[in-house]
Amino acid sequence: MRSELTGSKEALGKFQFVTISSRVEFEDVGRVVKIAHYYSRAVKAGINLALKGVPLNDAVKELYRIIPYAFYAETAYKQALALIKNGGNKIEIRRRWIACKGSKADRGNRGIKFHVLEDHVEVKVKDPWGRWIVGRAYFGRKYLPLLRELEELAGKGEEGYGAVISFKEKPMIHLQIPLWLYLKHFSVKKPIGYGLIAGFDLNSDRLNVVVIDRDGRIVTTRTYWYPEVTRPGFPREKGKALRLNALSNALKFLSRIGVDYVVFEDLFLVKGRRRFTKSKSGNRRISRFAKRQLLTHGVIKSLRLGFNVILANPKGTTNSKEHEKVMKERGFDRHTASAYLIALRGLETNSIKGVRSN
């Protein structure tokens, strides 16, 4: 049976694709940098248009003057709209990149295409002022069958894919793979479980898990610590690796003890900035913690391992009378109490209702 993902409409929309990335070597990287320069300018101009409420078609015509390729201009405006939605009206564009939306009708993608060869992937970027720019990407052999199937589906007009070219230390390509196709190639068979439910509370310095049965009884609790990642000057990438490793270890443990459902907070329902502690310095450290990024990794990893994933509304699971009551009655710290309430929220969803034991 294929794993299922349950959550809000906003959340489900965020998990239609999985992004895979690779370095890419272009024959003429200077031309690619030029496109990225004008694309970034188009996004910046698009923000001003979006703040004025300019309709899409009119905005694309305006941005076409900056980057004369309609698919780039349209993608730039849609990214501008997304930036405003997430960041308000004070947004700075400091980096350069190229993005092009994909669709079935466009046979994958009109602006950034790929072709799978024996040991690498050929990448072609549309130059609005000239010929296509060719490059070589090295995703790794394990991804080649996946990309080959996506290329075939795109050629038949059955799937599309978004693509981004970014520049940090070296040019990188990021391809959006349909989630169902990614899971088809990378899912592993999970042992049959006992219908247990695990609630997660993701934090900057620890990961809390509470496992309950279908009657809401607590089976076990676990805390995975990584406190060093919040220290000043701790390398960001190393901190990310420690958090992801803790999450992977937790999921492996849950698979062994018979958990079938994992429940995370639906962070896509949380609006505005959150104040974590009374300490300003503590808030600054925690604000650097990419919680949604960890959530995204957790959801995809869980689906790959065969769990059913539920994204539950987090309202009341952190600061509420119910939360205080759980801490007092159960003797839990606030993070374990949150994980317990999140597990109970998962138990209340339609995904599990009606299958409780007698």
Side-chain angles (χ1 to χ4, degrees):
M1 183 181 294
R2 180 175 293 180
S3 301
E4 294 184 357
L5 173 61
T6 304
S8 65
K9 182 179 179 181
E10 294 88 343
L12 295 179
K14 299 291 184 180
F15 290 100
Q16 297 297 309
F17 299 92
V18 175
T19 300
I20 64 172
S21 304
S22 167
R23 64 185 176 88
V24 56
E25 299 173 353
F26 287 106
E27 295 177 351
D28 191 344
V29 70
R31 288 169 61 201
V32 181
V33 171
K34 175 186 174 183
I35 300 168
H37 170 75
Y38 284 99
Y39 182 87
S40 301
R41 279 184 56 186
V43 174
K44 188 174 182 179
I47 290 172
N48 294 328
L49 295 175
L51 290 172
K52 296 176 183 177
V54 176
L56 175 63
N57 290 339
D58 294 338
V60 170
K61 291 177 183 178
E62 188 69 26
L63 298 181
Y64 191 87
R65 299 177 182 179
I66 299 173
I67 187 160
Y69 188 57
F71 293 95
Y72 287 157
E74 180 180 346
T75 306
Y77 191 59
K78 289 183 176 179
Q79 285 198 316
L81 291 170
L83 287 170
I84 289 175
K85 182 178 180 181
N86 294 328
N89 57 5
K90 294 183 179 180
I91 303 167
E92 290 186 54
I93 303 296
R94 297 180 178 178
R95 59 190 178 93
R96 297 176 182 178
W97 77 101
I98 309 167
C100 192
K101 69 180 186 66
S103 72
K104 299 177 183 179
D106 296 328
R107 292 187 176 273
N109 194 297
R110 288 289 186 95
I112 302 174
K113 296 182 176 293
F114 71 87
H115 174 54
V116 181
L117 298 174
E118 184 176 351
D119 62 348
H120 69 279
V121 176
E122 182 184 72
V123 176
K124 295 174 66 178
V125 176
K126 174 65 178 177
D127 185 346
W129 300 278
R131 298 172 299 166
W132 288 83
I133 307 166
V134 179
R136 295 162 64 98
Y138 300 89
F139 285 93
R141 288 189 177 275
K142 69 176 183 178
Y143 288 111
L144 296 185
L146 164 67
L147 292 171
R148 190 170 286 113
E149 183 171 358
L150 177 57
E151 183 182 6
E152 292 174 358
L153 292 171
K156 297 176 183 177
E158 296 178 8
E159 277 295 349
Y161 58 89
V164 175
I165 304 294
S166 67
F167 301 86
K168 195 172 183 180
E169 295 177 356
K170 296 180 179 179
M172 298 285 293
I173 182 169
H174 314 273
L175 295 177
Q176 291 183 320
I177 310 298
L179 177 60
W180 72 267
L181 184 60
Y182 179 84
L183 294 177
K184 174 185 175 181
H185 283 263
F186 291 107
S187 292
V188 296
K189 190 173 182 180
K190 176 184 167 297
I192 298 175
Y194 304 107
L196 302 179
I197 302 103
F200 279 80
D201 185 48
L202 308 177
N203 299 283
S204 61
D205 63 347
R206 78 196 80 175
L207 172 67
N208 294 81
V209 184
V210 175
V211 179
I212 62 175
D213 64 17
R214 287 173 175 169
D215 293 313
R217 295 174 298 210
I218 296 173
V219 176
T220 188
T221 66
R222 285 288 188 278
T223 300
Y224 297 83
W225 291 90
Y226 33 82
E228 63 273 26
V229 303
T230 59
R231 295 173 187 163
F234 194 86
R236 185 185 296 267
E237 288 303 313
K238 188 175 180 180
K240 176 183 175 181
L242 287 174
R243 291 182 177 113
L244 296 184
N245 184 61
L247 185 55
S248 294
N249 288 337
L251 291 172
K252 290 176 184 177
F253 167 72
L254 297 176
S255 181
R256 290 197 303 269
I257 67 171
V259 169
D260 287 317
Y261 300 88
V262 294
V263 191
F264 297 98
E265 295 175 274
D266 190 340
L267 297 178
F268 302 98
L269 294 176
V270 178
K271 305 297 182 183
R273 292 190 175 187
R274 299 172 66 185
R275 186 169 178 266
F276 299 94
T277 72
K278 295 180 180 180
S279 165
K280 291 183 179 180
S281 61
N283 283 333
R284 282 196 298 271
R285 288 197 300 271
I286 296 172
S287 67
R288 299 191 190 108
F289 164 46
K291 193 170 184 179
R292 284 193 182 184
Q293 187 181 66
L294 184 58
L295 170 65
T296 300
H297 179 88
V299 170
I300 301 302
K301 181 82 171 182
S302 299
L303 292 171
R304 279 186 59 191
L305 294 177
F307 293 101
N308 293 300
V309 180
I310 299 169
L311 297 174
N313 191 329
K315 186 177 181 180
T317 60
T318 301
N319 294 304
S320 66
K321 291 182 179 179
E322 185 180 14
H323 186 256
E324 294 292 331
K325 182 180 178 181
V326 168
M327 286 194 291
K328 289 180 180 179
E329 293 184 353
R330 300 282 183 177
F332 288 160
D333 61 64
R334 62 173 50 256
H335 299 298
T336 302
S338 292
Y340 174 61
L341 289 175
I342 291 166
L344 290 178
R345 291 285 173 86
L347 184 59
E348 295 168 358
T349 65
N350 291 330
S351 299
I352 307 178
K353 277 182 179 179
V355 293
R356 297 189 187 186
S357 57
N358 296 321

